[in-house]
């Protein structure tokens, strides 16, 4: 920012210097022209009255010469005595005087601004030449030096003010950065103090605090998830290890086929947990909605055809309810909902598919004991299993419903538990990409 401001000031300074040089040079040229004109008129007046002194005065100009009708120099200023004419041009017939730039003359290395003025004498016409050095583009070395000094002063002042202003503005940001580094390294529960002013710095601190809150919540969730996953993985492994150790201690009294079946059941539970964990990991890594056209009615029909439900299943399926998504993921969602309903149903399950104005709706309802309102969000947390679920099925992983909700959210939809007269009613809503007619 300091370099940018200094560069802009440099460009502006150069522009102002050029304009100032142009203005000063114009004023100097005007002054010089007036000086030459005055000197030429004064000399012409003396020549017309035949009162030319031996040495012509040349106050304020480089030199003056008077040339007669034969082209001879009859009078000159002190510095031009004995020298040839400084110019040979004459004014036009309709003009009394004219000015030209002569560059260079035979005896003058620099260019001269020369004015030629007619002088009428009895019977002849003389010329007065008054000359002065041409004004250079830089006017004078002193002017250039002063211009450079002023420009350098402005550049230094701009750099200093900008640096101080930017430093003062970014100081709170640097403090926030240092405090964030300290918080993340030592005390994640600490938060940034909020400035008194209601500006961008305060909003930055608020955003950083909100980020720290979400980070702390994610870390807590990760710790709980790791603890629950370790517990659920350790329990069947501990049980299998105890059974195998006991069998090795009493090999003759062990029913080895029964032990093998028990071990396989434990391995099945471990495999189910690992499979669900891998599914959640894929969903957490960046769930893709997919681009398949999925007919929810056909999806439910195919799922029921391959299953052998333990309770009665009734359906109310509206045909032609098609959504865009990942068919395999939506099939997994439906399987998890039906599995959950079978575990908790007393005698029957009801599955409904219908199209609303802007979304497809899938409902799975059982006639079990239902879920208390205070527990309706908890069951969507990972590894959370209510006491009723543990009594009905001790082999569950506690990941089926969280996976189902995450799949729904990956498709831009929602999965909630709604009020029902009896049992639990799970409702899935997926917005239509293109609403059906």
């Amino acid at each position: 920012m300091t370099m940018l401001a200094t560069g802009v000031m440099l460009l502006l300074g150069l522009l102002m210097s050029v304009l100032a040089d142009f203005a000063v040079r114009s004023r100097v040229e005007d002054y010089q022209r007036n000086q030459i004109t005055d000197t030429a008129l004064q000399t012409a007046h003396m020549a017309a009255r035949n009162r030319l002194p031996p040495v012509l005065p040349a106050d304020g100009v480089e030199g003056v010469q008077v040339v007669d009708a034969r082209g001879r120099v009859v009078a000159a200023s002190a510095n031009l005595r004995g020298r040839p004419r400084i110019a040979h041009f004459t004014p036009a017939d309709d003009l009394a005087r004219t000015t030209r730039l002569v560059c260079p003359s035979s005896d003058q290395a620099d260019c001269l601004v020369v004015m030629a003025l007619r002088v009428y004498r009895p019977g002849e016409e003389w010329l007065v030449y008054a000359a002065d050095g041409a004004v250079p583009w830089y006017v004078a070395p002193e002017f250039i030096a002063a211009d450079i000094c002023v420009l350098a002063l402005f550049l230094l002042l701009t750099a200093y003010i900008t640096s101080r202003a930017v430093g003062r503005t970014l100081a709170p940001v640097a403090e926030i950065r240092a405090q964030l580094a300290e918080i993340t390294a030592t005390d994640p529960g600490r938060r940034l103090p909020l400035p008194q002013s209601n500006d961008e710095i305060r909003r930055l601190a608020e955003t950083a605090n909100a980020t720290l809150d979400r980070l702390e919540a994610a870390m807590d969730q990760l710790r709980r998830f790791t603890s629950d996953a370790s517990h659920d993985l350790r329990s069947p492994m501990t049980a299998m290890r105890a059974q195998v150790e006991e069998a090795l201690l009493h090999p003759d009294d062990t029913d080895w086929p029964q032990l093998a079946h028990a071990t396989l059941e434990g391995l099945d539970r471990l495999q189910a947990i690992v499979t669900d964990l891998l599914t959640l990991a894929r969903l957490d890594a960046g769930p893709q909605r997919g681009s398949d056209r999925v007919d929810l009615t056909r999806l439910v029909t195919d799922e029921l055809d391959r299953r052998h439900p333990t309770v009665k299943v009734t359906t109310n399926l509206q045909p032609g309810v098609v959504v865009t998504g990942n068919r395999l993921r939506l099939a997994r969602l439906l399987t998890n909902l039906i599995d959950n309903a079978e575990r908790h149903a007393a005698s029957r399950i009801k599955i409904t598919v219908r199209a609303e104005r802007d979304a497809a709706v899938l409902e799975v309802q059982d006639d079990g004991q239902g879920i208390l309102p205070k527990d309706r969000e908890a069951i969507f947390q990972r590894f959370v299993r209510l006491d009723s679920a543990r009594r009905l099925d001790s082999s569950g992983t506690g990941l089926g419903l969280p996976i189902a909700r995450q799949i729904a959210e990956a498709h831009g939809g929602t999965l909630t538990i709604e009020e029902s007269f009896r049992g639990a009613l799970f409702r899935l809503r997926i917005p239509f990409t293109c609403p059906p007619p």
Side-chain angles (χ1 to χ4, degrees):
M1 181 64 72
T2 301
M3 294 179 63
L4 178 62
T6 305
V8 171
M9 178 56 69
L10 175 61
L11 294 178
L12 291 176
L14 291 175
L15 178 61
M16 295 300 296
S17 297
V18 170
L19 294 177
D21 181 78
F22 179 79
V24 172
R25 186 169 181 270
S26 178
R27 294 294 299 273
V28 171
E29 287 178 342
D30 290 342
Y31 177 79
Q32 181 191 59
R33 190 176 300 111
N34 292 333
Q35 288 290 100
I36 294 175
T37 302
D38 291 342
T39 303
L41 290 174
Q42 181 181 2
T43 304
H45 180 70
M46 290 186 294
R49 299 178 65 183
N50 200 18
R51 293 183 179 180
L52 290 173
V55 179
L56 297 176
D59 297 335
V61 297
E62 186 75 18
V64 183
Q65 285 181 341
V66 178
V67 180
D68 61 11
R70 297 183 180 87
R72 298 175 302 176
V73 178
V74 296
S77 58
N79 60 329
L80 295 180
R81 293 191 67 183
R83 295 186 180 183
R85 296 172 58 172
I86 60 176
H88 292 81
F89 66 91
T90 60
D93 294 338
D94 57 343
L95 296 176
R97 63 184 177 183
T98 187
T99 302
R100 292 184 184 180
L101 182 65
V102 178
C103 190
S105 63
S106 58
D107 297 323
Q108 186 73 27
D110 297 329
C111 296
L112 294 175
V113 177
V114 181
M115 173 181 286
L117 177 64
R118 296 180 187 275
V119 179
Y120 296 99
R121 291 173 56 85
E124 57 183 355
E125 182 180 281
W126 287 10
L127 292 174
V128 175
Y129 291 101
D132 200 2
V135 180
W137 64 268
Y138 53 87
V139 181
E142 296 80 6
F143 177 77
I144 290 294
D147 191 27
I148 293 176
C149 292
V150 171
L151 180 58
L153 178 62
F154 272 104
L155 290 178
L156 292 175
L157 187 62
T158 301
Y160 175 76
I161 294 176
T162 306
S163 178
R164 288 293 301 272
V166 173
R168 189 180 298 108
T169 303
L170 295 181
V173 178
E175 184 178 355
I176 289 176
R177 182 196 61 78
Q179 292 186 6
L180 276 176
E182 184 179 353
I183 288 173
T184 54
T186 59
D187 186 10
R190 212 179 85 198
R191 294 295 177 265
L192 296 172
L194 298 179
Q196 296 295 331
S197 58
N198 187 18
D199 55 7
E200 288 79 4
I201 302 301
R202 180 183 179 90
R203 286 189 284 274
L204 174 62
E206 292 174 347
T207 303
N209 285 339
T211 303
L212 289 174
D213 291 338
R214 290 192 295 270
L215 179 61
E216 186 176 16
M219 293 299 295
D220 291 340
Q221 183 180 5
L222 178 61
R223 282 192 290 267
R224 290 195 302 269
F225 177 81
T226 304
S227 176
D228 295 339
S230 301
H231 178 269
D232 278 53
L233 290 172
R234 187 168 56 246
S235 297
M237 294 175 62
T238 303
M240 288 187 294
R241 182 181 182 87
Q243 291 174 350
V244 172
E245 289 178 348
E246 183 178 359
L248 291 176
L249 289 175
H250 307 284
D252 297 333
D253 298 332
T254 300
D255 187 348
W256 290 101
Q258 182 181 0
L259 176 62
H261 286 298
T263 303
L264 285 177
E265 291 179 359
L267 292 175
D268 289 339
R269 175 170 168 75
L270 286 175
Q271 184 177 3
I273 294 175
V274 171
T275 301
D276 287 343
L277 288 175
L278 289 175
T279 301
L280 285 172
R282 294 190 187 99
L283 292 172
D284 290 339
Q288 300 293 328
R289 175 168 181 162
S291 58
D292 302 331
R293 288 180 57 82
V294 183
D295 188 331
L296 293 183
T297 299
R298 181 64 179 273
L299 190 69
V300 173
T301 303
D302 293 344
E303 178 65 20
L304 294 179
D305 288 342
R306 75 171 186 83
R307 298 177 68 95
H308 300 285
T310 58
V311 294
K312 181 180 179 180
V313 179
T314 62
T315 59
N316 180 14
L317 307 178
Q318 176 183 338
V321 181
V322 180
V323 297
T324 302
N326 188 308
R327 182 180 180 83
L328 295 178
R329 295 276 173 84
L330 292 175
R332 176 64 184 275
L333 184 153
L334 178 62
T335 301
N336 289 359
L337 292 181
I338 296 178
D339 289 342
N340 181 77
E342 281 189 359
R343 282 195 298 268
H344 295 85
S347 59
R348 68 181 181 86
I349 298 172
K350 181 179 179 181
I351 303 176
T352 303
V353 173
R354 67 177 184 274
E356 295 185 350
R357 183 179 63 180
D358 57 350
V361 177
L362 168 66
E363 294 179 348
V364 179
Q365 182 177 9
D366 63 68
D367 61 348
Q369 296 180 356
I371 302 174
L372 297 176
K374 65 183 182 67
D375 296 327
R376 289 178 182 174
E377 284 298 317
I379 63 172
F380 290 108
Q381 298 179 9
R382 301 175 183 184
F383 290 107
V384 172
R385 303 186 66 207
L386 303 180
D387 294 337
S388 58
R390 294 182 184 275
R391 289 195 304 269
L392 293 173
D393 184 9
S394 59
S395 63
T397 63
L399 295 174
L401 292 178
I403 290 176
R405 170 169 276 189
Q406 197 152 346
I407 293 175
E409 292 175 350
H411 287 74
T414 58
L415 178 61
T416 56
I417 302 176
E418 305 296 332
E419 292 289 342
S420 62
F421 178 74
R422 184 179 180 184
L425 172 59
F426 288 83
R427 178 176 295 163
L428 168 68
R429 290 176 57 86
I430 299 179
F432 289 119
T433 303
C434 296

